[in-house]
Amino acid sequence: MTEHTLAEQLPSDALPKHIAVIMDGNGRWAQARGKARVFGHKAGVDAVRKTVSEASRLGIEVLSLFAFSSENWRRPEDEVSVLMELFITVLGREVKRLHKNNIQLRVVGDVSRFSKRLQNKIEEAQNLTANNRGMVLNICANYGGQWDIVQAAQAVARKVQTGELTPDDIQETDIAQHLTMADLPNVDLMIRTSGECRISNFMLWQAAYAELYFTDLFWPDFDERALQDALYWFVHRERRFGCTGEQVQATHV
Ligand code: IPE
Ligand code: IPE
Ligand code: MG
């Protein structure tokens, strides 16, 4: 069977609305080939392209890719600067294709720590695609789930300070509405490559009820077929959201 025939059997109403991906294993992929780690980051760009186009083709509403965590600044300076250069080049090179495919690009995270040049590229890319109504592509850069919750807590604290809200009135929705991506559905499926089984501070709030899918593939080896495999796995999960299996099954009949 070709990949496309397989994909067509995926029931579109059962597909996740929001897929989040922790793109891990670039360094090990390169090292296994006797190359420098940065070679793996460059190879990872092809996997990004394949994943974006397949998710968009399948009608996924939101795809969030973890590109650089708030903790990744701890890496050697050389590696960080190659990653920054790569963002600039890739943004410039790929944004037209995204735009042509009606994809809305958002860079999510604390971008204030990036160079002015990178911040300008980000703004240009976001402006160009802002009115697109196809898939939303979140590139999470200098992002951390804890940072996201802290910045929402700060916004809520400001409302308390102005008397708009009292501490006892604070509800989950008050926090949720100030998180990044507040206008988007929560994460249904979180994928992590490279065999590591951890969340590494990605989308802590938004992934509260996500199905977690781990694959041993290193990120540069991830492709259309690998995404389809994750989706086949996902459509067979029973999502209970606190209910019993019997309750969930009763809603299906
Ligand atoms: C993921 O690959 C990319 C980023 C974190 C930027 P890694 O660079 O973490 O690759 P490994 O985990 O060291 O193999
Ligand atoms: C998570 O990968 C961050 C990104 C994929 C951008 P890491 O490779 O940085 O995660 P840890 O440090 O191994 O948990
Ligand atoms: Mg890693």
Side-chain angles (χ1 to χ4, degrees):
M1 244 190 280
T2 68
E3 282 168 18
H4 281 199
T5 330
L6 267 171
E8 258 116 48
Q9 289 168 4
L10 283 166
S12 61
D13 56 338
L15 289 179
K17 286 194 167 71
H18 187 167
I19 303 176
V21 188
I22 303 176
M23 310 185 289
D24 198 15
N26 292 349
R28 280 165 285 167
W29 183 91
Q31 281 158 345
R33 284 160 180 75
K35 306 233 167 123
R37 294 176 52 82
V38 295
F39 186 76
H41 297 314
K42 289 179 184 155
V45 177
D46 290 332
V48 169
R49 199 180 297 115
K50 290 175 189 168
T51 306
V52 169
S53 79
E54 184 63 1
S56 159
R57 193 184 73 79
L58 288 167
I60 302 300
E61 283 179 33
V62 187
L63 176 68
S64 297
L65 302 178
F66 205 7
F68 192 86
S69 76
S70 2
E71 290 73 33
N72 286 145
W73 296 107
R74 295 173 188 156
R75 293 191 177 198
E77 225 173 276
D78 293 4
E79 183 169 340
V80 172
S81 55
V82 168
L83 280 167
M84 295 300 146
E85 279 304 315
L86 198 60
F87 289 151
I88 296 178
T89 335
V90 172
L91 268 178
R93 202 176 62 203
E94 303 289 327
V95 71
K96 284 198 191 81
R97 190 203 315 263
L98 296 177
H99 188 45
K100 211 176 90 209
N101 289 305
N102 200 22
I103 292 172
Q104 186 188 121
L105 177 82
R106 301 188 192 180
V107 176
V108 180
D110 181 5
V111 296
S112 68
R113 200 168 158 187
F114 294 146
S115 69
K116 212 58 231 125
R117 200 169 136 233
L118 180 50
Q119 290 187 43
N120 290 342
K121 278 265 175 240
I122 290 172
E123 210 182 302
E124 266 173 43
Q126 292 190 143
N127 288 344
L128 179 71
T129 65
N131 295 320
N132 290 346
R133 288 294 165 260
M135 187 172 81
V136 173
L137 173 62
N138 294 315
I139 300 294
C140 301
N142 195 18
Y143 177 86
Q146 291 173 339
W147 164 83
D148 202 351
I149 295 168
V150 166
Q151 63 83 32
Q154 287 171 340
V156 173
R158 271 179 229 117
K159 282 186 171 168
V160 172
Q161 197 174 32
T162 59
E164 230 179 295
L165 207 59
T166 69
D168 291 337
D169 287 336
I170 298 171
Q171 307 286 321
E172 285 168 17
T173 49
D174 294 303
I175 307 277
Q177 76 183 57
H178 291 291
L179 291 167
T180 63
M181 301 172 268
D183 58 325
L184 301 174
N186 275 333
V187 177
D188 301 299
L189 170 64
M190 184 181 276
I191 298 173
R192 183 173 189 142
T193 56
S194 88
E196 306 300 344
C197 300
R198 55 178 176 261
I199 294 178
S200 301
N201 196 16
F202 196 34
M203 305 260 199
L204 297 181
W205 183 289
Q206 298 87 342
Y209 260 104
E211 300 291 329
L212 306 178
Y213 179 85
F214 300 104
T215 166
D216 286 336
L217 287 175
F218 289 138
W219 176 250
D221 291 326
F222 197 85
D223 60 9
E224 295 87 347
R225 182 55 196 264
L227 179 63
Q228 290 170 17
D229 287 346
L231 292 170
Y232 277 109
W233 175 86
F234 176 84
V235 297
H236 292 107
R237 294 297 98 201
E238 181 180 74
R239 306 186 73 196
R240 304 201 186 105
F241 297 99
C243 299
T244 66
E246 288 76 11
Q247 286 175 301
V248 172
Q249 280 143 32
T251 64
H252 291 324
V253 288

